[in-house]
Amino acid sequence: MSNQITLKKLANLSNFSVSTVSKALADSSEISTKTKEKVKKLAELYNYTPNLLAKSLKERKTRTIGVIIPNILAHFFAKVLVGIEKEAVKHGYNIITCISDESYDKEVKSIQMLASGSVDGFIISISKETYIKENYRHLTTAISKNLPVLLFDRITDKVMCDKVIINDFESSYNATKSLIQSGCQNVIFISPINNTSVGIERARGYNEALKDQKVPEAASEILIIEDYKKFAHNFNHYIENNNIDGILAADELSAIYTMNLVIGKGLKVPEDISIIGFTDGILSENSNPPLTTIDQHGIELGKIATKTLIKRLQKDDITKDYETVTLKTTLIKRASSNIS
Amino acid sequence: MSNQITLKKLANLSNFSVSTVSKALADSSEISTKTKEKVKKLAELYNYTPNLLAKSLKERKTRTIGVIIPNILAHFFAKVLVGIEKEAVKHGYNIITCISDESYDKEVKSIQMLASGSVDGFIISISKETYIKENYRHLTTAISKNLPVLLFDRITDKVMCDKVIINDFESSYNATKSLIQSGCQNVIFISPINNTSVGIERARGYNEALKDQKVPEAASEILIIEDYKKFAHNFNHYIENNNIDGILAADELSAIYTMNLVIGKGLKVPEDISIIGFTDGILSENSNPPLTTIDQHGIELGKIATKTLIKRLQKDDITKDYETVTLKTTLIKRASSNIS
DNA sequence: CTGTTAGCGCATTCAT
DNA sequence: ATGAATGCGCTAACAG
């Protein structure tokens, strides 16, 4: 740490006691105006800033939020992080960010570490591996230690807490419906997030829409991406043998990646195949053709998540009246589809 | 904070004193094996984890690094952050991330806040606005408080500290040279980071290469991007009146954005115009055509920055033998250019 | 109005 | 081998 100026030093310099200095700086009504002025001037002069660690220890709260994100390179999560950071700063909170990298172990370790006094609560999106292990004890443990948890986007029913999500089912349902109404007969669904809550809901929306639209003998196929290289191989094969004219992808990268495969095959987008993706990120905006996409409003989501958590932090009883906020997405029409 | 289990509670439960428990858990040679066993078992049972805040306060170090980044939505910075986080965790450090959003005020405030006991040192990339204000006092102040600062990518001569950069001049020089050698006669340079150290070096590399290659009557033009919308307007105009056949862009987004403008004008890439960008990100890889780009090895850069800072943190005298690490970039040839 | 005292949770020096 | 006492920097109850 550092050669910091402390209350003690200020006390020595001013010939007041430590507590008087402390109160003076806090503008306590107990202290005379003269003393306050003197002390404040001195503090200014020496550029005093209170040691936040000591303050946190004393007050038993840190004004810091722990954020656990699966992958910062996905534009959606980066956007959410921007929103979280902005809103946190606005309320005088700091954030400590950990990247789980889709690993259960890293998620657990990060939470354990931060739960040892470093944060007042958590904002978390669950890693893929955690869904596979189906073990959410690290989350419930945190809550039982009085550290509120807010889950966003990738959530689970197994943990009782505040949640902020988007209307995944509906968004997916509507996008699929739009594709069909624009003339697509054979729409497939592509997902690299198959086992997350989000992936499941989006797949369900796709399936329901197909059912409701009753296209005779329509394709109904969900292609899972685990490894992009392998997927490219399989997809190229698939597209030769199947008469596809519409694709809904569960995230941004998979949409763009698939679009490039389609174009690479000599097919035209959207003339031969219409494509819609999720997340309105930098990729969708700048692809060629630009991608029709479902804007998840990541920054807004991050802000709301943070607001909700901070509200929770200010409550006495942390385990009551949990709320689940569901944000509405926006379909942004661009040249990769013909939907109206 | 929380209903944490503390040394004190463990002491009560075990009928040992706080200090004995503390020593036992630290495996001190002063304590008998039996006592150690008892205490450790109890600690395990109650899931004891030391309060890091108290530990930090006591030991006067936090094992936390403050990271200040201009914009997390730029893929390069996101990659660096991944590297920083990975390396930090590896050494038992946490990171607190602040996004300056290219604002001087936010940069200053973040550093002030974190300098009040929350971190042991900083990893920073300077905001655009800070370059304009030319005020780096917040950085030198941190250093004088014994909080080491490491600058990466966007650096300044005005602050003495460790630095990690890439060979911007050389990379830009070589890219320009490659374009010319591939047959380009009129190469322009496009930069949205005009007033940063990085932007200046890259522009210098471009200019030097033009000079050395001695193309007769070659174009030599640097287009600055401040607002993308305005730039689009100007560029469309520019390209109608100038016979351009090569573009070097100072970052990834500007490269892709410009490429789309070019294509929108009905020109072919790379047949009519070759394009090279900086940063090997998700955009370059998935654009159409894929972008020839200068890989800055962001993740690696982040790791090295973190390693360097941690090394510094372990030194006694923090103000000696500063080092500047310069990483070599890699030119990745893709279809947006014809370079060999 | 100001100062003394105590305590947040921990590590550590100094008794015993 | 164990425990008491001290202090990291701060706030706050209590005393004067």
Side-chain angles (χ1 to χ4, degrees), chain B residues 286-325:
Chain B
N286 295 287
S287 64
N288 192 1
L291 188 70
T292 296
T293 188
I294 294 158
D295 188 351
Q296 303 177 71
H297 306 295
I299 296 182
E300 191 57 25
L301 195 159
K303 285 186 185 174
I304 290 174
T306 308
K307 243 181 246 172
T308 308
L309 179 67
I310 290 177
K311 204 162 58 177
R312 170 76 49 197
L313 288 174
Q314 285 158 353
K315 284 185 187 164
D316 297 330
D317 189 349
I318 273 172
T319 60
K320 264 186 190 153
D321 306 322
Y322 289 126
E323 59 177 324
T324 295
V325 182

Side-chain angles (χ1 to χ4, degrees), chain A residues 65 87-88 91 93 305-314:
Chain A
I65 296 170
E87 192 68 22
H91 294 270
Y93 278 79
T306 308
K307 243 180 246 170
T308 309
L309 180 67
I310 290 177
K311 204 163 56 178
R312 170 76 46 196
L313 288 174
Q314 286 158 353

Side-chain angles (χ1 to χ4, degrees), chain B residues 17 19-20 23 30 32 35 58 60:
Chain B
S17 73
S19 57
T20 302
K23 286 173 192 166
E30 295 179 39
S32 74
T35 308
K58 175 72 184 167
R60 323 193 86 231

Side-chain angles (χ1 to χ4, degrees), chain A residues 193-212:
Chain A
I193 48 169
N194 179 44
N195 36 32
T196 69
S197 62
V198 171
I200 291 168
E201 281 302 290
R202 291 182 191 169
R204 206 165 62 81
Y206 161 77
N207 281 325
E208 283 298 312
L210 283 191
K211 218 182 283 173
D212 291 354

Side-chain angles (χ1 to χ4, degrees), chain A residues 69-85:
Chain A
I69 277 182
N71 170 17
I72 190 70
L73 296 177
H75 207 73
F76 168 66
F77 287 120
K79 274 186 147 179
V80 175
L81 187 61
V82 168
I84 293 175
E85 212 264 354

